Amino acid sequence: MRVIEVEQPGGPEMLTVIERPDPVPGAGELLIRVAAAGVNRADLLQREGHYPPPPGVPSWPGLEVSGTVIGRGTGVDAAGWPDGLPVAALLGGGGYAEQVTVPVGQVLPVPAGVDLVAAGGLPEAVATAWTNLIDSGRLVAGETMLVQGGSGGVGSIAVQLATALGVRVLTTAGGPERADRCRELGADVVIDHRTQDVVAAVHEATEGRGVDVVLDVLGGGGLASNVEVLATGGRLVVIGTQRGATGTLDLMQLMAKRAYVTGSTLRWRTVEQKSRVIADVAAHAWPLIADGRVAPVVHTTLPLDQAAEAHRLMDSGAVFGKVLLTP
């Protein structure tokens, strides 16, 4: 099969098409023919040499795919996972390929009416948004949250999920067009970070109270302002480091607000931990996709052999939602 390997750490030109043996599913695994692979910022970090795959995971990038079941390992029920079943899967790596194997606990059937290719952008984004908003952020209906970067792959899903759960959603976006699209996804208030002071805009929109949860992709560069916009008892959940991995934290302000800061990644969790996340997604978030309240947001789809162009596009900052690669 064809895969996209990283020749050596560097720019997008380091992504190249090579041949690898077709994978064989092990015990408890499914074999999937890939219809689409989602491109995530973690893939860009891996390409640059900053985010190596966990042990036992293929060396090429790709944390999520959609496709059809074409085989099973021992212990997997063929009746529940028949050949031809459309599925989406959360991976530890190796999605930039024509076929993948994945533990069955990390696989979700694609709901009827959801485009199979578009579904390739759902598993990582939905699982990340769900586990961080609900498990880490303890977000509940009636609260208010700020999504830093509502136009991103995770952000565009988080806006929809929170809206569907009865949360008042504030989000940031760059420029009027992207702001309008965030409103279409359900955001109540959109702050144009290019022309507005985000902290002042949040305080104005919340009458000085602040927000209960911040879902943040900025990292160190946004740490101080994110703590500043938290309400008393607020929760800052960090899922990205687009503005650096280190920052200055005003502990007195944090203590005065009785707030907390947490962060997480999915990739390095165990199979059992990821399976629990996917089980929660299947029970609570996937029905929102099935009934159309949450939908994949696809910026563009490119052939697998144009993975370098996909990474350049991601680096450009012009993407709204997900870029997908199709074998």
Side-chain angles (χ1 to χ4, degrees):
M1 68 172 180
R2 294 180 307 146
V3 309
I4 301 296
E5 185 62 274
V6 181
E7 287 187 357
Q8 61 183 35
E13 69 278 2
M14 291 296 113
L15 298 172
T16 185
V17 181
I18 63 172
E19 296 282 334
R20 284 284 186 262
D22 291 350
V24 177
E29 293 185 334
L30 289 174
L31 177 63
I32 298 170
R33 177 179 290 114
V34 175
V39 179
N40 291 279
R41 292 207 169 270
D43 304 338
L44 278 62
L45 291 174
Q46 179 175 337
R47 185 203 74 218
E48 295 167 349
H50 304 312
Y51 197 21
V57 169
S59 58
W60 49 95
L63 299 179
E64 60 185 345
V65 298
S66 60
T68 52
V69 174
I70 57 173
R72 291 153 300 279
T74 57
V76 179
D77 180 15
W81 302 96
D83 285 353
L85 181 70
V87 294
L90 179 70
L91 310 174
Y96 290 15
E98 294 179 316
Q99 297 180 26
V100 299
T101 56
V102 58
V104 69
Q106 296 172 210
V107 183
L108 293 153
V110 174
V114 176
D115 180 78
L116 182 60
V117 169
L122 287 173
E124 176 74 12
V126 176
T128 297
W130 185 264
T131 191
N132 282 285
L133 293 180
I134 306 305
D135 296 338
S136 298
R138 306 197 312 272
L139 186 68
V140 297
E143 290 191 313
T144 300
M145 73 168 296
L146 171 66
V147 178
Q148 289 279 21
S151 61
V154 174
S156 59
I157 292 294
V159 168
Q160 295 180 78
L161 274 176
T163 299
L165 294 173
V167 172
R168 185 179 185 227
V169 178
L170 286 64
T171 190
T172 59
E177 181 181 350
R178 296 167 81 83
D180 287 343
R181 293 191 65 186
C182 287
R183 290 187 188 93
E184 292 171 0
L185 294 176
D188 297 282
V189 177
V190 183
I191 302 163
D192 186 344
H193 62 75
R194 296 178 183 173
T195 60
Q196 295 177 267
D197 181 303
V198 174
V199 173
V202 170
H203 285 152
E204 180 182 357
T206 61
E207 298 181 340
R209 177 184 178 274
V211 296
D212 300 292
V213 174
V214 176
L215 184 68
D216 177 62
V217 297
L218 303 178
L223 183 58
S225 59
N226 282 328
V227 172
E228 192 170 347
V229 301
L230 287 177
T232 300
R235 291 84 73 192
L236 168 58
V237 184
V238 182
I239 61 169
T241 56
Q242 292 181 20
R243 293 188 186 170
T246 60
T248 300
L249 178 62
D250 185 338
L251 293 175
M252 289 298 294
Q253 187 179 48
L254 191 73
M255 291 187 293
K257 292 187 174 188
R258 302 191 300 279
Y260 77 81
V261 179
T262 185
S264 73
T265 62
L266 271 176
R267 189 177 198 183
W268 280 78
R269 300 190 194 193
T270 66
V271 171
E272 291 76 16
Q273 290 167 338
K274 290 179 182 177
S275 295
R276 285 196 293 271
V277 170
I278 293 300
D280 284 344
V281 166
H284 304 290
W286 221 237
L288 303 175
I289 293 166
D291 68 17
R293 282 182 284 173
V294 177
V297 181
V298 178
H299 181 86
T300 193
T301 302
L302 295 171
L304 184 65
D305 58 11
Q306 291 185 26
E309 179 59 30
H311 278 220
R312 291 188 189 97
L313 186 57
M314 290 285 290
D315 278 329
S316 75
V319 172
F320 192 105
K322 280 295 183 78
V323 174
L324 304 176
L325 296 172
T326 56

